[in-house]
Amino acid sequence: MSPTVHILASPTANLASVAAAVHRCGGEPMLTDSPRQVETSTRLIFPGVGSFATAMSWLNSSGLAVPLLDRLRSGAPTLAICLGMQVLFDSSEESPGVRGLSVINGRVTRFEPSLACRIPQLGWNRVAAQPGFSAASPQTGFAYFANSYCANSVAANDWACATSDHGGPFIASVQHRRNPGILACQFHPELSGPGPWGLGLLRNWMATTPALQTLQEPRRPC
Amino acid sequence: MLTTRVIPCLDVRDGRVVKGVNFSNLRDSGDPASLAAFYETEGADELVMLDVSATAESRRAAIATVAAIRAVLSIPLTVGGGVRSLDDAARLLAAGADKVAVNTAAVDDPTLIDRLADRFGSQCTVVAIDALSIFTGPSPTFRVRTRSASQDAALDACLWAAETARRGAGEILLTSINRDGTQVGYDLTLIRTIRAAASIPIIASGGAGSPADLAKAALAGADAVLAASIFHDGRYSIAAVKQAMASSGIPVRTIEIPTSPC
């Protein structure tokens, strides 16, 4: 039987591409915006495009922020993509004053514009897994990015990461060390081809099971 | 380091891929979904589908074509042609596009770019510019044309490119009308001129005849190079094009081979 994968139906995300990729990996994609399903679903993808403020405002006004935090705390497999990854941080330069979910401590900032660094970053960049990151193998490969903002650091004791470079190093993906099913990608695995950092990563993630150890208590938004 | 993208373009009408020469003499080149899957396997970095339908009925069929391509494609898909409103864009995105390209409608009402970027994000908002090169002095000027290049928009391409970036476009799909379908090489002056006018990514289009042409466009400042005929005819593979680019020192995405971890 195909495993069901719920996709959080953020109003501006590229849901069709995410659903098609899940389907191609042998899963049964189901869109949801139900707080209950967000909390209890076996596997949840949290895609997102648009702005940090829009995404947070939607999560808060739809009553999804708290169930999403509860779910992450319980260690249930959750894949956050692009803006979905960014809102796991404390804040973003894109939307000053807006609080993120603070699952990961740190701030998301804009790429520094330069000749070597076009903004937005649109295209395929090389990604390299750092020690402890197990979501893709082989450990370096190409992934497709579409972003103007990025995170530059994470707390290494909690998160293993994969890095890339666009005018300087940035965090391409993070994976919880004790809960490998909690995975966030700045790139789009659903658009990164059939290889290890595309459908391969998605397939690996779909095979993860909830770990026994849960995340540290994240701060709840006010 | 970001690689330069190689993008096959599917011009689609009535559910079939066609390719025009100077925007006329359309000739059938195949089934869109089969071609899309083939190009992904070959190493295409992205696909552009341009809906060249003339009728409303045919436009509705284009939605089904987008869905059929999406079902087999795991690389990005940009769709353009006849997009006039946020609702048009939303329908294409819901069917499986990742980016939407606007052309004539954006010239008619430039605020469409702001509204698309606000709602769907800059990374989703592509402005297609069809530029005609005009020689009136020692160096050419570039004029924007709309409605499948049939009408002069009385707009300088440089000013327009800068304005689209200011309004939130994430990318420019830049077509040389003079070169489109000629296969004599991209208009490198056009690429350099628009590159200097706007700092957002540029997809160069119009004139690709050989792998060396795509490499030259990248060296002139294009972030991505688009071609149709040279791929559809089976004359050159994506791999051959990328090899030519790589030997010119342009970073490209190669087919994955296992490497030792860094």
Side-chain angles (χ1 to χ4, degrees):
Chain A
M1 208 184 79
S2 315
T4 299
V5 177
H6 284 99
I7 301 169
L8 190 51
S10 152
T12 56
N14 57 336
L15 301 171
S17 299
V18 177
V22 166
H23 195 71
R24 227 166 299 128
C25 290
E28 191 58 52
M30 298 258 290
L31 300 186
T32 185
D33 58 1
S34 137
R36 194 182 141 66
Q37 249 169 359
V38 164
E39 191 172 343
T40 61
S41 159
T42 313
R43 290 179 189 81
L44 181 81
I45 297 182
F46 173 27
V49 295
S51 76
F52 190 89
T54 317
M56 278 315 301
S57 143
W58 177 71
L59 284 176
N60 286 321
S61 67
S62 317
L64 293 165
V66 170
L68 189 56
L69 281 171
D70 285 345
R71 153 182 204 90
L72 289 163
R73 201 168 45 213
S74 78
T78 307
L79 171 60
I81 299 174
C82 198
L83 186 64
M85 166 169 161
Q86 293 183 4
V87 298
L88 298 184
F89 285 79
D90 292 319
S91 63
S92 170
E93 189 181 348
E94 183 179 17
S95 308
V98 176
R99 286 187 64 172
L101 294 171
S102 294
V103 172
I104 307 171
N105 293 124
R107 180 172 159 81
V108 172
T109 55
R110 191 171 165 86
F111 285 118
E112 287 291 333
S114 73
L115 274 181
C117 170
R118 201 87 62 215
I119 300 176
Q121 172 181 220
L122 278 178
W124 297 76
N125 208 332
R126 189 173 273 286
V127 179
Q130 303 302 321
F133 187 92
S134 63
S137 173
Q139 295 198 295
T140 66
F142 285 103
Y144 181 84
F145 291 85
N147 61 314
S148 301
Y149 296 83
C150 66
N152 295 296
S153 65
V154 291
N157 51 338
D158 286 332
W159 301 92
C161 66
T163 54
S164 188
D165 195 291
H166 189 55
F170 69 94
I171 307 288
S173 182
V174 292
Q175 184 177 31
H176 197 262
R177 287 192 187 275
R178 294 184 300 282
N179 279 309
I182 307 232
L183 177 65
C185 301
Q186 179 57 70
F187 58 86
H188 289 268
E190 79 281 12
L191 300 177
S192 295
W197 291 85
L199 299 186
L201 178 140
L202 195 53
R203 230 176 261 121
N204 282 349
W205 173 77
M206 281 166 58
T208 58
T209 47
L212 299 173
Q213 294 190 39
T214 55
L215 295 195
Q216 289 177 335
E217 181 82 5
R219 290 203 311 267
R220 282 180 182 255
C222 316
Chain B
M1 185 184 205
L2 203 58
T3 54
T4 301
R5 288 164 285 155
V6 175
I7 308 178
C9 178
L10 311 180
D11 288 8
V12 171
R13 191 180 58 194
D14 300 326
R16 300 285 293 173
V17 177
V18 293
K19 176 57 197 168
V21 174
N22 287 327
F23 292 96
S24 59
N25 291 330
L26 294 177
R27 175 170 66 77
D28 198 322
S29 306
D31 167 56
S34 316
L35 259 180
F38 169 73
Y39 286 134
E40 174 179 312
T41 311
E42 269 223 306
D45 296 310
E46 187 172 324
L47 280 187
V48 167
M49 177 193 136
L50 292 179
D51 173 18
V52 293
S53 301
T55 66
E57 199 175 317
S58 188
R59 291 247 180 267
R60 278 191 292 277
I63 298 282
T65 305
V66 171
I69 293 176
R70 180 78 278 159
V72 299
L73 194 72
S74 48
I75 57 173
L77 175 65
T78 300
V79 180
V83 179
R84 299 210 57 85
S85 65
L86 290 190
D87 285 348
D88 288 347
R91 272 191 289 274
L92 292 169
L93 295 169
D98 301 294
K99 302 190 250 182
V100 171
V102 287
N103 187 338
T104 300
V107 173
D108 292 349
D109 175 11
T111 69
L112 177 62
I113 301 167
D114 306 66
R115 288 180 284 127
L116 283 168
D118 279 350
R119 175 139 163 218
F120 304 112
S122 286
Q123 84 297 326
C124 183
T125 307
V126 180
V127 175
I129 300 178
D130 292 339
L132 183 72
S133 161
I134 297 169
F135 286 86
T136 48
S139 56
T141 55
F142 297 99
R143 300 268 288 191
V144 176
R145 293 181 74 86
T146 56
R147 293 166 178 80
S148 303
S150 66
Q151 203 171 98
D152 180 20
L155 196 57
D156 176 76
C158 286
L159 295 177
W160 178 231
E163 181 176 348
T164 65
R166 212 164 44 239
R167 288 183 180 276
E171 188 160 47
I172 292 169
L173 169 50
L174 180 65
T175 301
S176 160
I177 295 168
N178 311 62
R179 299 295 177 91
D180 195 65
T182 62
Q183 301 190 24
V184 298
Y186 294 88
D187 186 335
L188 303 180
T189 309
L190 172 65
I191 295 168
R192 284 190 202 101
T193 306
I194 301 301
R195 172 77 288 147
S199 63
I200 58 177
I202 293 173
I203 304 172
S205 157
S210 73
D213 290 337
L214 286 85
K216 284 180 199 160
L219 291 173
D223 301 280
V225 285
L226 177 144
S229 309
I230 67 161
F231 295 135
H232 298 345
D233 291 352
R235 239 178 318 145
Y236 296 104
S237 66
I238 307 267
V241 163
K242 287 193 172 180
Q243 199 163 19
M245 290 168 71
S247 55
S248 302
I250 299 154
V252 289
R253 176 180 71 113
T254 46
I255 300 297
E256 311 283 13
I257 42 165
T259 52
S260 56
C262 344

Coordinates of all heavy atoms in Angstrom, one line a residue, chain B residues 169-220:
Chain B
A169 N 10.1 41.3 -10.6 CA 10.3 40.1 -11.5 C 11.6 39.4 -10.9 O 12.5 40.0 -10.5 CB 10.6 40.6 -12.9
G170 N 11.5 38.1 -11.0 CA 12.7 37.3 -10.5 C 13.6 36.9 -11.6 O 14.7 36.4 -11.4
E171 N 13.1 37.1 -12.9 CA 13.9 36.6 -14.0 C 13.4 37.2 -15.3 O 12.2 37.5 -15.4 CB 13.8 35.1 -14.0 CG 14.7 34.4 -15.0 CD 14.9 32.9 -14.7 OE1 13.9 32.2 -14.4 OE2 16.0 32.4 -14.7
I172 N 14.3 37.4 -16.2 CA 13.9 37.9 -17.6 C 14.1 36.8 -18.6 O 15.2 36.2 -18.7 CB 14.7 39.2 -17.9 CG1 14.2 40.3 -17.0 CG2 14.4 39.5 -19.4 CD1 15.1 41.5 -17.1
L173 N 13.1 36.5 -19.4 CA 13.3 35.6 -20.5 C 13.4 36.5 -21.7 O 12.4 37.1 -22.2 CB 12.1 34.6 -20.6 CG 11.9 33.8 -21.9 CD1 13.2 33.1 -22.3 CD2 10.8 32.8 -21.8
L174 N 14.6 36.6 -22.2 CA 15.0 37.6 -23.2 C 15.1 37.0 -24.6 O 16.0 36.2 -24.9 CB 16.3 38.3 -22.8 CG 16.9 39.3 -23.7 CD1 16.0 40.6 -23.7 CD2 18.3 39.7 -23.3
T175 N 14.2 37.3 -25.5 CA 14.2 36.8 -26.8 C 14.6 37.8 -27.9 O 14.0 38.9 -27.9 CB 12.9 36.2 -27.2 OG1 12.5 35.1 -26.3 CG2 12.9 35.6 -28.6
S176 N 15.6 37.5 -28.7 CA 15.9 38.4 -29.8 C 14.9 38.0 -31.0 O 15.0 36.9 -31.5 CB 17.3 38.2 -30.3 OG 17.5 38.7 -31.6
I177 N 14.1 39.0 -31.4 CA 13.2 38.7 -32.5 C 14.0 38.5 -33.8 O 13.6 37.7 -34.6 CB 12.2 39.9 -32.6 CG1 11.3 40.0 -31.3 CG2 11.4 39.8 -33.9 CD1 10.6 41.3 -31.2
N178 N 15.0 39.3 -33.9 CA 15.8 39.2 -35.2 C 16.4 37.8 -35.3 O 16.6 37.3 -36.5 CB 17.0 40.2 -35.2 CG 16.5 41.6 -34.8 OD1 16.1 41.8 -33.7 ND2 16.7 42.6 -35.7
R179 N 16.8 37.2 -34.2 CA 17.5 35.9 -34.3 C 16.6 34.7 -34.2 O 17.0 33.6 -34.5 CB 18.6 35.9 -33.2 CG 19.7 37.0 -33.3 CD 20.5 36.8 -34.6 NE 21.5 37.9 -34.7 CZ 22.7 37.8 -34.3 NH1 23.1 36.7 -33.7 NH2 23.5 38.8 -34.4
D180 N 15.4 34.9 -33.6 CA 14.6 33.8 -33.3 C 14.3 32.9 -34.5 O 13.9 33.4 -35.6 CB 13.2 34.2 -32.7 CG 12.5 33.1 -32.1 OD1 13.0 32.6 -31.1 OD2 11.4 32.7 -32.6
G181 N 14.7 31.6 -34.4 CA 14.5 30.7 -35.5 C 15.5 30.7 -36.6 O 15.5 29.9 -37.5
T182 N 16.5 31.6 -36.5 CA 17.5 31.7 -37.6 C 18.6 30.8 -37.4 O 19.3 30.4 -38.4 CB 18.1 33.1 -37.6 OG1 18.8 33.4 -36.4 CG2 17.0 34.2 -37.8
Q183 N 18.9 30.4 -36.1 CA 20.0 29.5 -35.8 C 21.4 30.0 -36.2 O 22.3 29.2 -36.5 CB 19.8 28.1 -36.4 CG 18.5 27.5 -35.9 CD 18.3 26.0 -36.3 OE1 19.2 25.3 -36.5 NE2 17.0 25.6 -36.3
V184 N 21.5 31.3 -36.2 CA 22.8 31.9 -36.5 C 23.6 32.4 -35.3 O 24.6 33.1 -35.3 CB 22.7 33.1 -37.5 CG1 22.1 32.6 -38.8 CG2 21.8 34.2 -36.9
G185 N 23.0 32.0 -34.1 CA 23.7 32.5 -32.8 C 22.8 33.5 -32.1 O 22.0 34.2 -32.7
Y186 N 23.0 33.6 -30.8 CA 22.2 34.6 -30.0 C 22.7 36.0 -30.3 O 23.8 36.2 -30.8 CB 22.4 34.3 -28.5 CG 21.9 33.0 -28.0 CD1 22.6 31.8 -28.0 CD2 20.6 32.9 -27.5 CE1 22.1 30.6 -27.6 CE2 20.1 31.7 -27.0 CZ 20.8 30.6 -27.0 OH 20.3 29.4 -26.6
D187 N 21.9 36.9 -30.0 CA 22.3 38.4 -30.2 C 23.1 38.7 -28.9 O 22.5 39.1 -27.9 CB 21.1 39.3 -30.3 CG 21.5 40.7 -30.6 OD1 22.6 41.1 -30.2 OD2 20.6 41.4 -31.2
L188 N 24.4 38.6 -29.0 CA 25.2 38.8 -27.8 C 25.2 40.3 -27.3 O 25.3 40.5 -26.1 CB 26.7 38.4 -28.1 CG 26.8 36.9 -28.5 CD1 28.3 36.6 -28.8 CD2 26.2 35.9 -27.5
T189 N 25.0 41.2 -28.2 CA 24.9 42.6 -27.8 C 23.7 42.8 -27.0 O 23.7 43.5 -26.0 CB 24.9 43.5 -29.1 OG1 26.0 43.1 -29.9 CG2 25.0 45.0 -28.7
L190 N 22.6 42.2 -27.4 CA 21.4 42.3 -26.6 C 21.6 41.8 -25.2 O 21.2 42.4 -24.2 CB 20.2 41.6 -27.4 CG 18.9 41.4 -26.6 CD1 18.3 42.8 -26.4 CD2 17.9 40.5 -27.3
I191 N 22.2 40.6 -25.1 CA 22.4 40.0 -23.8 C 23.2 40.9 -22.9 O 22.9 41.2 -21.8 CB 23.1 38.6 -24.0 CG1 22.1 37.6 -24.7 CG2 23.5 38.0 -22.6 CD1 22.8 36.3 -25.1
R192 N 24.3 41.4 -23.5 CA 25.2 42.3 -22.7 C 24.5 43.6 -22.3 O 24.7 44.1 -21.2 CB 26.5 42.7 -23.6 CG 27.5 41.6 -23.7 CD 28.8 42.1 -24.3 NE 29.5 40.9 -24.8 CZ 29.5 40.6 -26.1 NH1 28.9 41.4 -27.0 NH2 30.2 39.5 -26.5
T193 N 23.7 44.1 -23.2 CA 23.0 45.4 -22.9 C 22.0 45.2 -21.8 O 21.9 46.0 -20.9 CB 22.3 45.8 -24.2 OG1 23.2 45.9 -25.2 CG2 21.6 47.2 -24.0
I194 N 21.2 44.1 -21.8 CA 20.2 43.9 -20.8 C 20.9 43.5 -19.5 O 20.4 43.8 -18.4 CB 19.2 42.8 -21.3 CG1 18.5 43.3 -22.6 CG2 18.1 42.5 -20.2 CD1 17.7 44.6 -22.5
R195 N 22.0 42.7 -19.6 CA 22.7 42.3 -18.4 C 23.2 43.6 -17.6 O 23.1 43.6 -16.4 CB 24.0 41.5 -18.9 CG 25.0 41.2 -17.8 CD 24.5 40.0 -16.9 NE 23.5 40.4 -16.0 CZ 22.5 39.6 -15.6 NH1 22.4 38.4 -16.0 NH2 21.5 40.1 -14.8
A196 N 23.6 44.6 -18.4 CA 24.0 45.8 -17.7 C 22.9 46.6 -17.1 O 23.0 47.4 -16.2 CB 24.8 46.7 -18.7
A197 N 21.7 46.4 -17.7 CA 20.5 47.2 -17.2 C 19.8 46.6 -16.0 O 19.1 47.3 -15.3 CB 19.5 47.3 -18.4
A198 N 19.9 45.3 -15.8 CA 19.1 44.6 -14.8 C 20.0 43.6 -14.1 O 20.7 42.9 -14.8 CB 17.8 44.0 -15.3
S199 N 19.9 43.4 -12.8 CA 20.8 42.5 -12.1 C 20.1 41.1 -11.8 O 20.7 40.3 -11.3 CB 21.2 43.1 -10.8 OG 20.1 43.3 -9.9
I200 N 18.8 41.0 -12.2 CA 18.2 39.7 -12.0 C 18.6 38.7 -13.1 O 19.2 39.1 -14.1 CB 16.6 39.8 -12.0 CG1 16.1 40.4 -13.3 CG2 16.2 40.6 -10.8 CD1 14.6 40.5 -13.3
P201 N 18.4 37.4 -12.8 CA 18.8 36.4 -13.8 C 18.2 36.6 -15.2 O 17.0 37.1 -15.3 CB 18.3 35.1 -13.2 CG 18.2 35.3 -11.8 CD 17.8 36.8 -11.6
I202 N 19.0 36.3 -16.2 CA 18.5 36.4 -17.6 C 18.6 35.0 -18.3 O 19.6 34.4 -18.3 CB 19.3 37.4 -18.4 CG1 19.1 38.8 -17.9 CG2 19.0 37.3 -19.9 CD1 20.1 39.8 -18.5
I203 N 17.5 34.6 -18.9 CA 17.4 33.5 -19.8 C 17.6 34.0 -21.2 O 16.7 34.7 -21.7 CB 16.1 32.7 -19.7 CG1 15.9 32.3 -18.2 CG2 16.2 31.4 -20.6 CD1 14.5 31.6 -18.0
A204 N 18.6 33.6 -21.9 CA 18.8 34.1 -23.3 C 18.1 33.2 -24.3 O 18.1 32.0 -24.1 CB 20.3 34.1 -23.7
S205 N 17.4 33.8 -25.3 CA 16.6 33.0 -26.2 C 16.7 33.6 -27.6 O 16.8 34.8 -27.7 CB 15.2 32.9 -25.7 OG 14.3 32.7 -26.7
G206 N 16.6 32.7 -28.6 CA 16.6 33.2 -30.0 C 17.9 33.1 -30.7 O 18.8 34.0 -30.5
G207 N 18.0 32.1 -31.6 CA 19.2 32.1 -32.5 C 20.1 30.9 -32.3 O 21.1 30.8 -33.0
A208 N 19.9 30.1 -31.3 CA 20.8 29.0 -31.0 C 20.9 28.0 -32.2 O 19.9 27.6 -32.7 CB 20.3 28.1 -29.8
G209 N 22.1 27.8 -32.7 CA 22.3 26.9 -33.8 C 23.3 25.8 -33.6 O 23.4 24.8 -34.3
S210 N 24.2 26.0 -32.5 CA 25.2 25.1 -32.2 C 25.5 25.2 -30.7 O 25.3 26.2 -30.1 CB 26.5 25.4 -33.0 OG 27.1 26.5 -32.5
P211 N 26.2 24.1 -30.1 CA 26.6 24.2 -28.7 C 27.4 25.4 -28.4 O 27.3 26.1 -27.4 CB 27.4 22.9 -28.5 CG 26.7 22.0 -29.5 CD 26.4 22.8 -30.7
A212 N 28.3 25.8 -29.4 CA 29.2 27.0 -29.2 C 28.3 28.3 -29.0 O 28.7 29.2 -28.2 CB 30.1 27.2 -30.3
D213 N 27.2 28.3 -29.7 CA 26.3 29.5 -29.5 C 25.8 29.7 -28.1 O 25.8 30.8 -27.5 CB 25.1 29.4 -30.4 CG 25.5 29.6 -31.9 OD1 26.5 30.2 -32.2 OD2 24.7 29.1 -32.8
L214 N 25.4 28.5 -27.4 CA 24.9 28.6 -26.1 C 26.1 29.0 -25.1 O 25.8 29.8 -24.2 CB 24.3 27.2 -25.7 CG 22.9 27.0 -26.3 CD1 23.1 26.4 -27.7 CD2 22.1 26.1 -25.4
A215 N 27.3 28.5 -25.4 CA 28.4 28.9 -24.5 C 28.7 30.4 -24.7 O 28.9 31.1 -23.7 CB 29.7 28.1 -25.0
K216 N 28.6 30.9 -25.9 CA 28.8 32.4 -26.1 C 27.8 33.2 -25.4 O 28.1 34.3 -24.8 CB 28.8 32.7 -27.6 CG 30.1 32.3 -28.3 CD 29.9 32.7 -29.8 CE 30.9 31.9 -30.6 NZ 30.5 31.9 -32.1
A217 N 26.6 32.7 -25.4 CA 25.5 33.5 -24.7 C 25.8 33.5 -23.2 O 25.6 34.6 -22.5 CB 24.1 32.9 -25.0
A218 N 26.2 32.4 -22.6 CA 26.5 32.4 -21.2 C 27.7 33.3 -20.9 O 27.7 34.0 -19.9 CB 26.9 30.9 -20.8
L219 N 28.7 33.3 -21.8 CA 29.9 34.2 -21.5 C 29.5 35.7 -21.7 O 30.1 36.5 -21.0 CB 31.0 33.8 -22.5 CG 31.7 32.5 -22.3 CD1 32.7 32.2 -23.4 CD2 32.4 32.5 -20.9
A220 N 28.5 35.9 -22.5 CA 28.0 37.3 -22.6 C 27.2 37.8 -21.4 O 26.8 39.0 -21.3 CB 27.2 37.5 -23.9

